[in-house]
Amino acid sequence: MAEIVYPPVIKAALGLFKALNLKFRLEGTENIPSTGGAVLVSNHVSYLDFIFAGLATHPAGRLVRFMAKKEIFDNRIAGPLMRGMHHIPVDRQAGASSYKAALTALKGGEIIGVFAEATISRSFTVKEIKSGAVRMAVAADVPLVPITIWGPQRLWTKGRKKRLFQRGVPVTILVGEPMYPKRGDDYDKATEELQARMAELLERAQREYPEIPKADETWWQPAYLGGSAPTPEEAAELDAQEAAERQAAREARAAREVEESGS
């Protein structure tokens, strides 16, 4: 597979990180397999997570093909880049094709990146995850590698203005030990273990983070550490409200299209 787009994108990102003096803590990279397929499962705290999650594989000389929502690929700027880097679009209304594409890539020796929480966690804790990542790893007979990211929410996250050029922000990336789920395992239990490992890694990253928020910046700290981010329960209510609003918008748009087609 020709890599025309990915290398220069990585080079540009690393140059920007250096210019912004981002302070990286990257641990556990020895857990990334040097060859063969793997499912890389990351938590989700910002719109930039795919960039930082991809950094976890660089010491091993690997690239990650991320599964990302189709809307990103429809964007006139991001779309060509995503396709050029051979990421995989996910249409939530028809997920079979993206699942098949991911399996093909895994069996071909690629690392597939998954944000199993599906959406950004407003509480900055690990949300409930589905068993899809486990099932994918089993189907392709590849390891499952949990990672967690902490810090990028300060640059750009849901409900907050972009602060992409903020300098000196610490970014923590922790890679956990691989899991090897097999056919016949209880996939729900394996998923619970995956979520627990991710939660443990994230809590360590948060507790060991080198900075604490200023009085007017507590929004980026989880509630259990004294921050003003929503609790998991409050975040779930916000997510449900947002989902309902999106559904209503889709229904209204469909109704308008029907009305216009009949006029």
Side-chain angles (χ1 to χ4, degrees):
M1 183 183 299
E3 298 296 347
I4 299 173
V5 177
Y6 220 144
V9 168
I10 292 173
K11 186 175 181 180
L14 292 176
L16 179 60
F17 297 159
K18 184 176 181 180
L20 293 176
N21 192 31
L22 299 189
K23 302 172 183 178
F24 286 98
R25 173 190 173 190
L26 181 56
E27 293 184 6
T29 57
E30 69 277 4
N31 292 317
I32 301 294
S34 58
T35 60
V39 179
L40 190 75
V41 187
S42 175
N43 70 314
H44 206 2
V45 295
S46 83
Y47 291 109
L48 306 172
D49 291 339
F50 72 97
I51 299 174
F52 296 107
L55 290 179
T57 69
H58 287 188
R62 306 295 305 275
L63 297 175
V64 185
R65 314 299 176 184
F66 285 98
M67 300 185 75
K69 61 184 180 180
K70 176 180 174 292
E71 289 79 0
I72 298 176
F73 291 78
D74 294 337
N75 183 278
R76 64 185 182 86
I77 296 175
L81 292 175
M82 295 294 282
R83 287 187 288 273
M85 291 184 281
H86 307 293
H87 296 313
I88 299 173
V90 177
D91 184 344
R92 292 175 182 171
Q93 305 302 315
S97 61
S98 58
Y99 183 81
K100 182 179 180 180
L103 283 184
T104 299
L106 286 169
K107 292 176 180 179
E110 299 280 2
I111 295 179
I112 296 297
V114 176
F115 295 102
E117 297 167 280
T119 59
I120 290 173
S121 172
R122 300 173 192 261
S123 67
F124 302 135
T125 60
V126 178
K127 298 165 59 176
E128 181 180 353
I129 62 178
K130 304 295 185 182
S131 62
V134 171
R135 294 178 184 275
M136 192 185 304
V138 170
D141 192 24
V142 298
L144 196 65
V145 183
I147 73 169
T148 55
I149 303 167
W150 187 241
Q153 78 279 6
R154 297 175 61 182
L155 300 172
W156 188 18
T157 193
K158 183 175 288 189
R160 292 283 168 178
K161 291 182 179 180
K162 300 177 189 177
R163 300 196 299 181
L164 299 178
F165 299 105
Q166 187 177 183
R167 295 179 55 81
V169 172
V171 175
T172 299
I173 306 167
L174 303 182
V175 184
E177 294 184 3
M179 296 172 58
Y180 298 90
K182 301 295 182 184
R183 294 186 187 278
D185 288 352
D186 185 323
Y187 294 161
D188 289 336
K189 285 187 177 180
T191 301
E192 289 174 4
E193 180 182 350
L194 171 63
Q195 182 177 353
R197 290 192 185 193
M198 292 172 65
E200 182 180 357
L201 284 171
L202 180 58
E203 182 173 348
R204 180 158 70 89
Q206 290 169 338
R207 291 190 182 279
E208 296 174 359
Y209 194 66
E211 293 185 6
I212 58 173
K214 298 176 182 178
D216 59 346
E217 292 280 308
T218 59
W219 61 265
W220 61 258
Q221 188 81 304
Y224 84 94
L225 286 178
S228 58
T231 65
E233 294 77 17
E234 291 169 341
E237 291 181 4
L238 291 170
D239 287 344
Q241 180 181 344
E242 181 181 56
E245 290 172 352
R246 286 183 175 178
Q247 180 62 30
R250 283 194 294 268
E251 292 174 355
R253 185 166 56 249
R256 285 197 303 271
E257 291 173 353
V258 170
E259 182 178 349
E260 290 171 0
S261 65
S263 59

